[in-house]
């Protein structure tokens, strides 16, 4: 990425070129023999197609690598995060092989020498561009997987759109990152939904999200979700990949902060998260569970653990929805009786 190899490969609209031509187009310009070796390896990895001897064309994946979110994802995983995985054994050794119990004392903090600072605070205080790369990765993570509002998953029409007051906030994406979810929901339902869409995140993340990335009519708002929700009476408060990031006490604080804003019998909280099965977890769940431990000292929960945590915050689980081709769950929550 540093030498813009994927851009060089995809110039000429992806027509095949020799390694010499591709090397000539890298920026900063890399030595031909280095680029040729990269291309040979990328071919072996099925990222590039060798159409003839020493002649290369990009695959759709290589072309996608030009997009900002793909580049953010690779940079975050490779440059920012991989080091925490590599050093995790040292962290475990120093901590007598105990699993991290706190989100401010995990392998990430060990590596970045920031014990006492949560990953998201670290982004805000010391590394806003790391935070932006992280948000790009989250946007890519949800791409081309079933969306919570797709057919066969959560019945948005019946459960949210019907009965929604026009002119009132429709959905608040709490800790919504780059806003990809709201953008896609808006694209899927268009004018069907009358109320406002609100994207909330930490102020530095909201500032870092470029205007072009979210529709102008999605309101953007810096808000700390540990404090009382300022948007009152929305149809839904949506939490995607939020609950998985924190320990139970903090999650209950996040959920309780929504309660004063909720209208009884009308407002819902929608939690989009992995719910770990009691047996036979999918590798996507187990590997993300590991990443959560390394970066946030956090974990995925089983259904029983989720219910206990949600009910302990003074709320009730109405129903848990799953998509047949996905390992995510959408938990619909309302105020307790
Ligand atoms: C795992 S990401 C999920 C982002 C988004 N929901 C998505 O799925 O792409 C967690 C998000 O929570 C945000 N966040 C962390 N602490 C926060 C706080 N105290 N208040 C508001 N947002 C916060 C982070 O900035 C980040 O965007």
């Amino acid at each position: 990425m540093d030498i813009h190899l994927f851009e060089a490969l995809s110039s000429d609209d992806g027509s095949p070129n020799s390694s010499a031509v591709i090397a000539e187009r890298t920026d900063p310009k890399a030595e031909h023999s280095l680029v040729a070796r990269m291309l040979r390896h990328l071919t072996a990895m099925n990222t590039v197609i060798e159409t003839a001897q020493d002649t290369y064309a990009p695959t759709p994946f290589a072309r996608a690598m030009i997009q900002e979110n793909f580049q953010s994802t690779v940079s975050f995983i490779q440059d920012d995060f991989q080091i925490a995985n590599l050093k995790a054994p040292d962290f475990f050794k120093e901590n007598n092989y105990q699993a991290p119990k706190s989100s401010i004392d995990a392998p990430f903090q060990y590596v970045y020498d920031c014990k006492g600072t949560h990953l998201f605070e670290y982004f805000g205080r010391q590394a806003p561009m790391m935070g932006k790369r992280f948000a790009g990765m989250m946007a890519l993570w949800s791409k081309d997987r079933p969306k919570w509002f797709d057919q066969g998953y959560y019945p948005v029409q019946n459960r949210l759109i019907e009965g929604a007051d026009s002119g009132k906030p429709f959905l608040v994406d709490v800790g919504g990152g780059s806003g990809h979810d709201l953008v896609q929901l808006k694209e899927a339902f268009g004018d069907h939904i009358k109320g406002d869409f609100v994207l909330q995140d930490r102020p530095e993340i909201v500032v870092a999200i470029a205007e072009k990335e979210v529709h102008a009519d999605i309101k953007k708002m810096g808000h700390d979700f540990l404090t009382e929700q300022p948007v009152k009476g929305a149809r839904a408060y949506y939490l995607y990949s939020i609950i998985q990031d924190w320990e139970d006490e903090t999650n209950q604080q996040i959920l309780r902060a929504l309660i004063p804003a909720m209208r009884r019998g009308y407002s819902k909280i929608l939690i989009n998260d992995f719910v770990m099965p009691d047996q036979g977890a999918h590798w996507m769940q187990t590997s993300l569970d590991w990443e959560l431990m390394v970066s946030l000292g956090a974990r995925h929960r089983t259904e029983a653990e989720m219910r206990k945590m949600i009910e302990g915050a003074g709320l009730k689980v109405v129903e848990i929805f799953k998509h047949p081709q996905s390992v995510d769950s959408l938990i619909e929550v309302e105020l307790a009786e």
Side-chain angles (χ1 to χ4, degrees), residues 120 134 138 175-177 180 201-202 223-225 240-242 245:
F120 298 124
F134 177 84
M138 289 309 300
H180 59 90
D201 209 291
R202 294 172 61 97
H223 169 61
D224 177 357
F225 55 40
Y240 185 16
S241 299
I242 300 296
D245 293 349

